[in-house]
Amino acid sequence: MKVYIYSEMQDKIEKSGVGRAIYHQKMSLRLNGIVCVDSYKDADVIHINTVFLKSVFLALKAKKLGIPIVYHAHSTKEDFRNSYIGSNLFAGLFKRWITFCYNLGDIIITPSEYSKKLLASYNINKEIQVISNGIDLNEYRKNELAGKTFRYHYGYSDTDKIIMSAGLIIKRKGILDFIELAKRMPEYQFIWFGTADLRFAGKEIRKAVSEKIPNLTFAGYVNSKQLQAAYSGSDLFLFPSYEETEGIVVLEALAMKIPLLLRDIPVYNGWLEKGRNVYQAKKLDDFEKIARNILEHKLPDLTEQGYQIIQKKNIHYIGNILFNVYNKVINTKIM
């Protein structure tokens, strides 16, 4: 089987969760003996990951040639909101556009039951299958030496307690809450990995990020090895995002066995359990209280329970599921 994994504007999305998901797709296919080709003309099936114009043109070409299309629904109207200037104003238009795009697929893939439920309300008339973005458990492993190197690089001592997070610097990711927590908890070190074009992030975000807070570091975008070192060297991964379709950094944190504190939002329902394999909070006061209790070891360590969950999302397993989807869409076209 030959698959063409397509993504448009790769240089723009490679630093996002979508970029990481595409990397996982290609790895999982190779691990399962599925060939990734460089041209749609050589493919048995086309797997499209983006919703830009060239992606639509490719889908239309594929339809004319009779090549099956799997469209990956990474985005929803809900996670488009509160991202950049004007995103709330154009959210309805964005919903109509992605509905058109996704309907070009013969089968749609989305990473969670939550995002499937959202898409089902969009007037999408194609089969929607849930497949996690997955994680490479051979790559994402805690490394004490890498953790010490991370601390040395950023000037942290062995006794510093470090709260980390990762994501685009946009309102939806909860960046404002992360900054406020750093102000409230000056005895702990805070570090955020990720970037964004602040010209489009909004005045509120630009002002908050520019404020000098002694215990808060904005580390910018780093590669996966550097991020793994941060997971290994930090004491808590605090992810205050208000909306996700799955949350790849959540998968990474679970794999790295770092204590995890998430916002209590619907996307985690059904696979993560509050107080059983992760900690969750809704209000800022609760984030502060729970974070302190985790760091001072007043709450049970749930990392092993979290790791049991993530084993089901190993990319070796994901590749096999993708193969079944590709096989189904190919056979459906033939019939």
Side-chain angles (χ1 to χ4, degrees), residues 19 25 61 80 92 106 112 143 147 158 165 210 224 293 328:
Q25 287 168 22
K61 284 181 185 177
F80 179 73
D106 296 295
S112 66
N143 184 317
D158 291 340
S165 195
S210 66
S224 62
N293 285 338
K328 180 176 182 178

Side-chain angles (χ1 to χ4, degrees), residues 111-210:
S112 66
E113 291 291 343
Y114 171 70
S115 55
K116 178 180 178 178
K117 182 179 178 180
L118 293 178
L119 294 173
S121 71
Y122 287 6
N123 196 31
I124 289 175
N125 54 27
K126 300 296 175 67
E127 178 183 349
I128 304 172
Q129 292 216 13
V130 174
I131 303 178
S132 170
N133 288 312
I135 186 73
D136 184 355
L137 294 181
N138 289 327
E139 180 182 1
Y140 281 84
R141 290 182 174 182
K142 192 158 190 170
N143 184 317
E144 289 188 12
L145 179 59
K148 290 180 179 179
T149 302
F150 153 75
R151 283 179 174 256
Y152 176 80
H153 179 77
Y154 287 97
Y156 298 131
S157 72
D158 291 340
T159 57
D160 280 333
K161 293 186 178 181
I162 304 168
I163 300 174
M164 69 169 287
S165 195
L168 294 173
I169 299 178
I170 55 177
K171 189 173 183 178
R172 173 174 65 82
K173 292 291 184 179
I175 184 67
L176 296 176
D177 291 330
F178 194 79
I179 293 171
E180 177 59 28
L181 287 169
K183 292 178 182 178
R184 292 187 180 195
M185 305 166 71
E187 68 272 36
Y188 303 113
Q189 296 295 325
F190 286 70
I191 185 167
W192 183 286
F193 292 93
T195 187
D197 191 331
L198 293 179
R199 293 175 299 173
F200 305 108
K203 184 178 179 180
E204 184 182 22
I205 300 296
R206 289 195 298 272
K207 181 180 178 182
V209 171
S210 66

Side-chain angles (χ1 to χ4, degrees), residues 157-276:
S157 72
D158 291 340
T159 57
D160 280 333
K161 293 186 178 181
I162 304 168
I163 300 174
M164 69 169 287
S165 195
L168 294 173
I169 299 178
I170 55 177
K171 189 173 183 178
R172 173 174 65 82
K173 292 291 184 179
I175 184 67
L176 296 176
D177 291 330
F178 194 79
I179 293 171
E180 177 59 28
L181 287 169
K183 292 178 182 178
R184 292 187 180 195
M185 305 166 71
E187 68 272 36
Y188 303 113
Q189 296 295 325
F190 286 70
I191 185 167
W192 183 286
F193 292 93
T195 187
D197 191 331
L198 293 179
R199 293 175 299 173
F200 305 108
K203 184 178 179 180
E204 184 182 22
I205 300 296
R206 289 195 298 272
K207 181 180 178 182
V209 171
S210 66
E211 188 176 353
K212 301 299 180 184
I213 303 171
N215 63 324
L216 174 59
T217 299
F218 288 103
Y221 174 78
V222 296
N223 63 37
S224 62
K225 289 298 181 185
Q226 292 169 309
L227 192 58
Q228 288 165 38
Y231 287 126
S232 294
S234 296
D235 299 285
L236 173 64
F237 187 79
L238 193 156
F239 192 55
S241 178
Y242 285 87
E243 184 71 29
E244 295 291 322
T245 53
E246 184 178 38
I248 286 182
V249 293
V250 175
L251 306 186
E252 293 173 351
L254 289 167
M256 296 295 296
K257 297 184 179 181
I258 177 174
L260 189 56
L261 174 54
L262 308 171
R263 188 175 299 281
D264 190 353
I265 53 177
V267 69
Y268 306 125
N269 294 346
W271 64 286
L272 293 177
E273 293 184 60
K274 183 177 181 180
R276 186 163 183 176

Side-chain angles (χ1 to χ4, degrees), residues 7 45 79 82 108 120-121 146 167 174 197 230 235 274 307 309 333:
S7 60
V45 60
D79 76 355
N82 295 314
I108 298 166
S121 71
D197 191 331
D235 299 285
K274 183 177 181 180
Y307 189 74
I309 296 298
K333 275 287 187 181

